[in-house]
Amino acid sequence: MSMNGKYIQAESLDEVLDALENYGDEAKVVAGGTAMTLMLEHDLIAPEILLSIGQVPGLNDLKPREKGIELGPMVSLRELERSVHVKSNFPALSTACGSVGNVRVRNQATLGGNLGEADYASDPPTVLMVLDAEVTAKSKKGARLIPISEFFHGFFTTDLQPEEIITQISLPALPKDSRTVYLKYKSRSSEDRPCVGVAVLGVLEEGICRDLRVAVGAACEIPTRLQSVETMAKGQTLTDALIEEIADRYAKEIEPLEDLRGSAWYRRQMIRVHVRRALVEVRNGRR
């Protein structure tokens, strides 16, 4: 942080929105601070204003609803990992949050901070893609709903405007007879960040697939679903041959990244393997 930087500990949402309207791009919102601290220490960012929202009432609420759940941006990943309601109704989200970092990181890191950072090598966003989450962004001008499919624009880039803050993440109830799974593959034993993450939601009735959602993350710039491929399974039995075809299409059509966790070629192979494994788990009854 620059020597002239200012730290603001906000006490209300109105105070946050006023600061964002006044400072815009000069301000950085701090939620759990797990990513922000590292970026500051390595001089990757030098904001004029650090705006902490940790003491703002209502932003850490976890509210089960009859038709889903509403999550405040300050809900920790550890709480999502351990919540009985989340485990029972959104098990793949619990799994993904429980695979982030270590318990000390998860106690501090927040869901809103995770989404706002938009780090491609992350776990929860991939699951939120298949859960059809919606993000509520608020500014002094009002609130707007952003489907999770439209929230991520690229590396560390989201649909949020400089004067906006995430105030809620909403998940609809899972469809009847749905099954979900999240698989995380790490290529380096020294890291906890994924090389490839795959989330699948399938709705199966008497062996027939009524709906299928498959998202791949960490291997690409933003979590990605291929809806034209997903529709191949609707009304069909998830045979080994069909699963193999879907996995192969995902491997071929997603443009993978290259970094220290794997080459583009390697990631294609791991996409194929883990999409196939996730589909088999869903077919065989994993909820």
Side-chain angles (χ1 to χ4, degrees), residues 88-151:
S88 299
N89 294 277
F90 306 96
L93 180 60
S94 176
T95 298
C97 290
S99 71
V100 174
N102 54 53
V103 68
R104 295 181 298 281
V105 170
R106 296 194 295 275
N107 275 326
Q108 188 69 23
T110 66
L111 184 60
N114 182 271
L115 295 182
E117 185 192 12
D119 184 349
Y120 74 96
S122 185
D123 300 286
T126 306
V127 175
L128 293 176
M129 288 288 286
V130 301
L131 297 181
D132 282 346
E134 283 190 323
V135 175
T136 300
K138 195 168 185 180
S139 71
K140 295 288 287 186
K141 299 175 184 177
R144 63 189 182 107
L145 284 176
I146 309 170
I148 196 69
S149 59
E150 300 173 10
F151 183 77

Side-chain angles (χ1 to χ4, degrees), residues 135-189:
V135 175
T136 300
K138 195 168 185 180
S139 71
K140 295 288 287 186
K141 299 175 184 177
R144 63 189 182 107
L145 284 176
I146 309 170
I148 196 69
S149 59
E150 300 173 10
F151 183 77
F152 300 104
H153 288 186
F155 288 117
F156 303 101
T157 309
T158 72
D159 199 55
L160 288 175
Q161 300 303 305
E163 68 277 9
E164 288 182 322
I165 183 177
I166 297 172
T167 55
Q168 186 171 279
I169 301 98
S170 304
L171 307 179
L174 294 183
K176 183 182 178 182
D177 299 319
S178 64
R179 304 167 183 175
T180 61
V181 65
Y182 176 68
L183 298 184
K184 173 177 182 171
Y185 172 65
K186 299 181 292 183
S187 57
R188 306 180 75 197
S189 60

Side-chain angles (χ1 to χ4, degrees), residues 197-215:
V198 175
V200 173
L201 181 149
V203 179
L204 282 78
E205 298 176 0
E206 298 181 351
I208 302 300
C209 182
R210 301 303 181 192
D211 189 18
L212 182 68
R213 308 172 197 169
V214 180

